[in-house]
Amino acid sequence: MSAVHSSPLAECSDNSLQSALPTRKRRLELGLLGPLEVRFNGHAVPVGGPRQRAVLATLMLAPERVVSVDYLIEEVWNGDPPSTGRAQIAICVAALRKVFRTVGVHQQVIVTAAPGYKLVTGEHIMDTVEFTRRVESAQRATEQGGREQAIALLRDALRLWRGPALDGVSSRAAETEAMRLEEQRLLAIEQYMALRLKAGEHQTLLSELSTLVRENPLRERLLAQLMLAQYRSGQRVEALRTFREGRREFVAELGLEPGTELQELHHAVLRDDSAALGPAAGPASAAPTSAEPSGNWPSPAQLPSNIGAFAGREDELIELDDLLAERSDDDPVGIGFVTGAPGVGKTALAIHWAHRAAAHFPDGTLYADLQEAGQPLSPQAVLQRFLRGLGVEPERIPGGLEECAALYRTVLRGRRTLVILNDVHSFPQLRPLLPGNGRSCALVTGRTELQGLIHSGSPLRLCLGQLRQTDSVRLLSGVVRGRRIDRDPATARLAELCDHHPLALRAAGARLANKPHWTVADLVARLENPRRRLAELSHGEYSVRARLECGYGSLDAAAARAYRVLGAGQSVDFDVREAANVLELPLAEAEDTIERLLDTHLLEVAADRGGVFGRRYRLQELLRLHARETAASTLLVPSGC
């Protein structure tokens, strides 16, 4: 049994049993907290070969209790003993007794007791017993308010560990006990770290806790302690990053989200809740984060209502938390750009995260939809709206775009404000609306790529795709309240027919909610017919067809033709040569057209084996249905999207 094992006590250079226990003459020191170790009067005692060590370890795991010969045989040979097993056990015990006598131990350590043998500890010391005694004493001291005494006891208890418990001993009992002892060690470490954090040692603990979390990434309490130490040391951004990385580990290894306590701690860090976390020290606390806005300007609260029945996007929400990093006025503005296909949930994600992070922006939130009746709004109109929301009197608002933008940046100077810019059409439309200081953040959504963002710092870019199966079912269940459709086996098929596409899922859920006499299977039967699917998912505000037509309407003539032709084709996916052949275009021109479809997220890469010709493309099923429908009817895009 071997494993990487580091002591949490950076100040301890000697973790031997002898250094941690009071020395008394003529006593054995028996150690299991590391490789099996026997010492007498401070000197190591050679125990013998693997079988003798296995016999001694098995007896040490049950001190003062009789261990049968049959059990010893089972453990030493792991269930496959030789016919001479009983005799060999007797030989091992005799050899161990001789070892103890030879070094000068006069008391009998291993006695015969039917139906086997017993280890008599007497005045001898076992590190496992001593470890347990000191941890229990520390617990009592803590309960009685003796924090410093408890810290000292735990420090001494953890010094007993020399490595992984029972390292080098191979038996089933040894492996089981090693796991139990390791759990006890980690619990003691967590208790030790908690007491030291209460004592204000957060800065000195950063290195130790970082190492412990790296070695034990699924220990929620250690993760929480590291986040707390980072926050109190003025490393708020690092604390948020620690949670994000820890959550990824939980999802990847266990398929589970972190527990409630850890998530509540994360939210407290997001809110900069020093009342719950304790005061932050260092650079982070120097930045103004009080709820009072800078100057005498009002704090706008323009966010729309939070999104109901929101599901999934946990990774993206955590990525967006990077926008909460502490910055100065002179830093580049923090920008997040959320993009993806029409109806994939860009606006829903932005609004949901903005509500979650609103407490982090004490000077208010600004919000604007940058499309109106299918047409891009002028940035000047948006700026004038923002300035009024920021408390600028109408007569003081300039008439020109540049003057409005300058005043906007001046008002936001020194303030921590969140600006949500939804459905941006182009970078020229966006640029005047970006705050000019690093304390504020801008969260931008749009269907098309905004190349100019690269020149505005290092924006966080999130491209949304389909939801996972479990999240699709959760979203459907959230829309269809009052009916446990998540338990209906047909719900999984319904999610598939919706392409795990958020808008389509909301449309399907709304259909079921408005038709309580329908079963999930009824709607599935309707959607199974490809010719009816878009019509069934295009009722009211959740119209998949209307949203896809808006995306189609943004294409130039060549890309629109390619969308129709490729969608009407028989192949589910294709490469650039096949596309060039179907479109009757030169290879380079076909590749450029495909790239424009990719930029608007009406096409996706299905597989990439390297190089232009190793890449295959496809339209998602709902997009294919729309492209075929458009090709057949040559629909005109409506003026209002």
Side-chain angles (χ1 to χ4, degrees):
M1 298 179 61
S2 61
V4 176
H5 193 289
S6 64
S7 169
L9 308 173
E11 71 272 20
C12 297
S13 58
D14 182 1
N15 291 334
S16 69
L17 179 61
Q18 176 68 18
S19 67
L21 297 176
T23 303
R24 293 185 183 178
K25 298 287 186 180
R26 322 299 292 174
R27 285 211 292 192
L28 277 173
E29 298 159 2
L30 305 169
L32 295 176
L33 302 181
L36 177 67
E37 180 181 74
V38 178
R39 303 177 75 86
F40 186 65
N41 290 342
H43 300 290
V45 176
V47 175
R51 288 177 190 164
Q52 286 177 215
R53 297 174 70 82
V55 168
L56 180 58
T58 305
L59 293 170
M60 288 171 65
L61 290 175
E64 304 293 347
R65 299 200 302 272
V66 176
V67 181
S68 71
V69 173
D70 289 339
Y71 183 76
L72 287 168
I73 291 171
E74 188 78 12
E75 289 303 309
V76 170
W77 283 280
N78 286 317
D80 187 24
S83 58
T84 58
R86 300 184 73 85
Q88 291 195 46
I89 291 295
I91 292 170
C92 286
V93 170
L96 288 168
R97 286 169 172 168
K98 182 178 179 181
V99 166
F100 295 138
R101 286 196 305 271
T102 300
V103 298
V105 180
H106 300 303
Q107 304 95 335
Q108 198 168 14
V109 179
I110 303 175
V111 300
T112 302
Y117 303 95
K118 178 172 69 173
L119 181 76
V120 179
T121 56
E123 293 187 355
H124 305 310
I125 299 170
M126 286 191 62
D127 60 359
T128 52
V129 174
E130 187 66 19
F131 173 76
T132 301
R133 184 185 69 79
R134 295 186 182 201
V135 170
E136 291 175 349
S137 297
Q139 183 62 40
R140 288 193 295 272
T142 301
E143 293 169 356
Q144 296 166 8
R147 185 171 61 201
E148 293 304 320
Q149 181 187 3
I151 290 174
L153 284 165
L154 287 169
R155 180 183 292 115
D156 288 343
L158 291 166
R159 280 176 174 168
L160 297 174
W161 286 76
R162 297 165 286 108
L166 291 148
D167 194 13
V169 178
S170 178
S171 74
R172 284 177 290 193
E175 290 186 6
T176 300
E177 182 64 10
M179 291 171 60
R180 187 192 71 82
L181 288 169
E182 176 64 12
E183 177 64 20
Q184 294 303 309
R185 182 185 78 92
L186 289 170
L187 289 171
I189 288 173
E190 289 169 351
Q191 184 183 356
Y192 178 59
M193 294 296 167
L195 290 170
R196 292 179 65 188
L197 281 170
K198 287 182 180 179
E201 295 185 49
H202 38 268
Q203 289 185 322
T204 59
L205 287 176
L206 286 173
S207 177
E208 292 176 60
L209 282 168
S210 296
T211 300
L212 286 165
V213 167
R214 189 164 54 249
E215 294 175 355
N216 305 277
L218 300 179
R219 298 290 296 197
E220 292 196 42
R221 195 177 181 196
L222 288 176
L223 195 65
Q225 289 171 339
L226 176 57
M227 289 175 62
L228 199 57
Q230 288 169 329
Y231 176 83
R232 291 181 180 174
S233 299
Q235 299 181 16
R236 188 159 172 245
V237 176
E238 288 300 316
L240 293 171
R241 185 175 292 115
T242 294
F243 176 82
R244 181 173 67 250
E245 293 172 354
R247 181 195 165 274
R248 284 176 178 161
E249 192 77 29
F250 273 78
V251 172
E253 292 295 323
L254 306 176
L256 297 173
E257 292 293 329
T260 302
E261 290 187 14
L262 195 57
Q263 299 220 35
E264 287 178 352
L265 176 65
H266 175 234
H267 291 315
V269 174
L270 284 176
R271 296 192 307 269
D272 200 15
D273 189 350
S274 58
L277 300 167
S285 62
T289 56
S290 70
E292 292 298 320
S294 305
N296 297 316
W297 301 107
S299 297
Q302 298 182 355
L303 272 182
S305 299
N306 206 347
I307 302 300
F310 186 88
R313 307 300 190 202
E314 289 88 356
D315 290 336
E316 289 84 355
L317 287 167
I318 291 173
E319 291 283 351
L320 287 172
D321 289 344
D322 279 347
L323 296 178
L324 305 179
E326 297 289 349
R327 298 180 180 89
S328 69
D329 275 340
D330 296 328
D331 289 330
V333 64
I335 302 174
F337 177 46
V338 182
T339 188
V344 79
K346 301 179 289 294
T347 303
L349 173 65
I351 292 175
H352 185 77
W353 179 83
H355 275 279
R356 197 173 81 160
H360 197 76
F361 297 93
D363 296 315
T365 51
L366 297 167
Y367 178 90
D369 282 309
L370 272 69
Q371 301 271 348
E372 197 170 85
Q375 298 299 316
L377 276 181
S378 72
Q380 184 172 342
V382 178
L383 282 171
Q384 290 171 344
R385 186 184 303 171
F386 280 173
L387 288 169
R388 288 194 297 270
L390 289 164
V392 179
E393 297 173 357
E395 58 271 18
R396 292 185 55 202
I397 297 176
L401 174 61
E402 292 302 323
E403 293 82 359
C404 273
L407 179 57
Y408 170 68
R409 291 191 295 269
T410 300
V411 173
L412 290 185
R413 178 74 179 173
R415 302 181 62 167
R416 190 154 179 79
T417 305
L418 176 62
V419 182
I420 308 292
L421 301 166
N422 187 49
D423 205 3
V424 172
H425 178 263
S426 64
F427 184 68
Q429 182 195 31
L430 169 67
R431 181 169 49 193
L433 305 176
L434 294 174
N437 74 90
R439 295 197 195 281
S440 293
C441 293
L443 183 53
V444 181
T445 74
R447 289 193 300 267
T448 55
E449 296 298 327
L450 304 175
Q451 300 296 335
L453 276 180
I454 298 172
H455 304 295
S456 301
S458 300
L460 170 68
R461 181 185 179 278
L462 300 177
C463 183
L464 303 188
Q466 296 166 300
L467 291 175
R468 294 172 294 198
Q469 172 75 20
T470 53
D471 294 330
S472 296
V473 172
R474 280 175 53 211
L475 181 54
L476 281 167
S477 299
V479 175
V480 188
R481 292 190 172 185
R483 294 169 60 184
R484 294 307 308 270
I485 67 167
D486 56 324
R487 297 179 180 177
D488 191 324
T491 303
R493 178 57 181 159
L494 178 58
E496 290 174 7
L497 290 169
C498 292
D499 259 0
H500 302 290
H501 183 281
L503 182 64
L505 292 164
R506 289 184 183 277
R511 292 283 277 159
L512 288 173
N514 292 327
K515 301 280 187 180
H517 56 285
W518 281 9
T519 66
V520 177
D522 289 334
L523 183 55
V524 166
R526 289 169 172 264
L527 297 184
E528 290 282 10
N529 184 344
R531 293 188 180 130
R532 295 183 60 180
R533 194 173 307 163
L534 278 179
E536 293 290 341
L537 297 175
S538 298
H539 290 265
E541 62 176 312
Y542 301 124
S543 175
V544 174
R545 179 186 285 128
R547 197 68 59 88
L548 296 182
E549 285 173 1
C550 283
Y552 170 74
S554 68
L555 299 174
D556 61 66
R561 174 182 174 273
Y563 174 75
R564 296 192 303 270
V565 172
L566 294 171
Q570 297 301 312
S571 298
V572 175
D573 57 50
F574 48 87
D575 63 17
V576 67
R577 289 193 188 93
E578 293 164 348
N581 184 50
V582 171
L583 297 173
E584 300 177 341
L585 293 174
L587 203 60
E589 191 174 339
E591 184 184 355
D592 288 343
T593 304
I594 285 173
E595 287 298 326
R596 293 203 299 280
L597 289 173
L598 287 171
D599 287 343
T600 54
H601 304 284
L602 295 176
L603 191 68
E604 66 181 9
V605 176
D608 194 346
R609 299 180 181 88
V612 175
F613 301 114
R615 195 173 297 130
R616 298 193 68 79
Y617 308 92
R618 71 177 172 211
L619 281 80
Q620 292 180 10
E621 185 61 23
L622 290 175
L623 287 166
R624 287 185 72 215
L625 293 176
H626 178 258
R628 288 182 177 184
E629 185 180 272
T630 306
S633 62
T634 60
L635 283 173
L636 295 176
V637 181
S639 60
C641 298

